[in-house]
Amino acid sequence: MKRVGVTLLLAVSVLADPLTASVRDELNAIQPFQFKDTDGAFVNSCTAWKTTVSEGPLWVTALHCLTDDAGAIILDRPWFVNGKSVSVDHANSRTDLATLRGAVKGHSLRVAYGPPEVLAPLWTAGYPRGSKARYVIAGVFSQPRSDSGKAVFNLPTTYGMSGAPVLDKDGFVVGLMLQSECHPVAGWCAVARGASVADLRELLFGEA
């Protein structure tokens, strides 16, 4: 699949630092998570990113991107990352995270060891559902764990941003976008809930 060279930038906080070259390079590694429509065309449905563990490279996304309304993984649907086939490696329903395997080239992102400070600048990038453009978004860190058990990021989100990694100023992954704090029909929402660093390290490295 030919990649569309379009990037849109959304900034939501004057507290966010300027986008550095190192963070920009990490954001460029983020890819669309896709399925094929009835005509065989790729549809961007969520976002995925690559990291490397002891067993080799993995792609990470949100589990709900793979499931039906009952929460079961859709086994008869082929899945793709940037047009390349991937298969489900592991799923964690408690944290709403999934890992994928496939021969997809890409730069591996590094996962941080702990959360950033409150109001620390953050960036993410993703592919809103149905869009061929990658959206790059700036914001700040709100809290490591809310009453719902999710981390909270002051970053705009909408359908299709699920799975997008949240990066700190050094380009380390400090979370993953999962849900908005708005009503489902509200379109873009300014605040997102997501997986914490602890959730990601449990999934990828088996850390309790």
Side-chain angles (χ1 to χ4, degrees):
M1 183 189 72
K2 183 181 292 186
R3 292 184 60 187
V4 178
V6 178
T7 298
L8 303 180
L9 175 65
L10 300 178
V12 298
S13 174
V14 296
L15 299 175
D17 291 344
L19 187 63
T20 63
S22 60
V23 173
R24 185 180 294 110
D25 289 342
E26 303 298 272
L27 292 172
N28 286 335
I30 299 167
Q31 301 290 347
F33 181 66
Q34 304 161 310
F35 63 90
K36 286 185 177 181
D37 64 16
T38 54
D39 296 324
F42 290 110
V43 177
N44 294 344
S45 64
C46 282
T47 302
W49 52 281
K50 185 179 181 181
T51 193
T52 300
V53 298
S54 59
E55 294 82 10
L58 292 172
W59 287 84
V60 185
T61 192
L63 175 58
H64 68 256
C65 297
L66 299 154
T67 60
D68 57 23
D69 292 339
I73 294 176
I74 306 173
L75 297 175
D76 61 348
R77 172 180 286 176
W79 302 105
F80 304 87
V81 170
N82 199 26
K84 302 295 184 180
S85 178
V86 293
S87 59
V88 180
D89 172 73
H90 181 71
N92 186 317
S93 58
R94 180 181 61 82
T95 57
D96 193 16
L97 295 172
T99 54
L100 314 162
R101 289 192 183 273
V104 186
K105 294 182 179 180
H107 170 67
S108 286
L109 303 184
R110 303 159 296 169
V111 179
Y113 287 95
E117 296 181 356
V118 172
L119 295 183
L122 301 175
W123 291 266
T124 190
Y127 293 81
R129 184 173 299 173
S131 172
K132 294 182 179 179
R134 183 182 69 232
Y135 284 64
V136 175
I137 300 166
V140 296
F141 187 68
S142 179
Q143 57 179 303
R145 196 170 295 274
S146 66
D147 293 340
S148 67
K150 304 297 184 185
V152 181
F153 316 110
N154 284 75
L155 291 164
T157 187
T158 190
Y159 291 110
M161 292 297 292
S162 292
V166 178
L167 306 182
D168 67 9
K169 62 182 179 60
D170 298 312
F172 283 86
V173 178
V174 295
L176 179 144
M177 304 281 272
L178 289 175
Q179 303 166 314
S180 74
E181 291 283 3
C182 296
H183 190 276
V185 299
W188 283 90
C189 178
V191 180
R193 287 180 288 173
S196 65
V197 171
D199 292 336
L200 288 169
R201 296 198 68 85
E202 176 187 347
L203 177 79
L204 297 169
F205 309 110
E207 298 178 5

